[in-house]
Amino acid sequence: MRTVSRMYDSYGDAAAVVRDLEDARVPHRDISLVANENAHGRDTVEAQRTEPTSGTGTGAGVGAAAGGVIGLLTGLGVMAIPGIGPLVAAGWLATTLAGLATGAAAGGLVGALTNAGVHRDEAEVYEEGVRRGSTLVSVKAEDVDIPRVEAILDRRPSRDWRARRDEYVAGGWSPTR
């Protein structure tokens, strides 16, 4: 399996991509969404619609609103990751990051992504982007499914990580090594 990721400036675009992936029957276990608690476009209405607060009722309501499909977004959890701050996350990256938050592993989002096969330079940009308010969607897929997954990820405007890295560096950012 390979990991394919895109960073979106709009939380709404990222959430729409996740729904499109789910509609295309990409398994929930292979999709992840990670966003800063205050991600661009993540308003109160979207947060209330997607995040369970009590663990009961909310997910059922969201599922019913989505046509009976239990979506990845209903499982968003909030966690704090050193160096990034409070995050909302769902999927396999959320599970990995939850382990990091409890001290089971090290490396933050960069470590989780590189362990999943994402190049370190790319992972560092994603971590910085999330810290700055962008939303990351990552999908694990078999080689044969990569073109289909990439086509879905590209339905909404995302930023090329290399261009984003150049912007960050021009603004004084330097990745940690």
Side-chain angles (χ1 to χ4, degrees):
M1 291 194 107
R2 286 183 27 211
T3 302
V4 182
S5 302
R6 297 289 189 276
M7 187 166 42
Y8 300 90
D9 287 337
S10 163
Y11 178 86
D13 284 342
V17 166
V18 167
R19 286 189 292 274
D20 289 348
L21 289 163
E22 292 172 331
D23 289 346
R25 302 202 184 278
V26 174
H28 293 292
R29 70 180 176 274
D30 295 335
I31 307 169
S32 285
L33 178 140
V34 178
N36 181 299
E37 183 179 50
N38 299 310
H40 305 296
R42 186 176 177 271
D43 60 15
T44 305
V45 173
E46 178 70 11
Q48 289 175 350
R49 190 175 65 78
T50 60
E51 283 182 41
T53 54
S54 68
T56 59
T58 305
V62 172
V69 176
I70 298 173
L72 177 80
L73 297 175
T74 63
L76 281 173
V78 179
M79 63 189 71
I81 302 298
I84 304 175
L87 298 177
V88 291
W92 58 270
L93 272 172
T95 302
T96 302
L97 291 171
L100 298 173
T102 60
L109 185 55
V110 171
L113 288 168
T114 56
N115 286 339
V118 175
H119 191 276
R120 183 170 183 86
D121 291 342
E122 187 176 353
E124 289 170 339
V125 173
Y126 291 146
E127 182 177 81
E128 182 65 12
V130 168
R131 192 182 68 71
R132 293 183 184 209
S134 294
T135 302
L136 177 68
V137 175
S138 290
V139 181
K140 290 183 176 182
E142 298 294 336
D143 286 342
V144 68
D145 293 322
I146 296 292
R148 179 175 68 98
V149 167
E150 287 181 331
I152 295 168
L153 290 170
D154 292 339
R155 287 180 185 169
R156 299 290 179 139
S158 63
R159 295 295 308 267
D160 176 74
W161 71 269
R162 290 170 198 87
R164 184 55 59 92
R165 181 182 181 93
D166 291 345
E167 289 174 23
Y168 292 162
V169 169
W173 174 76
S174 65
T176 57
R177 292 276 176 180

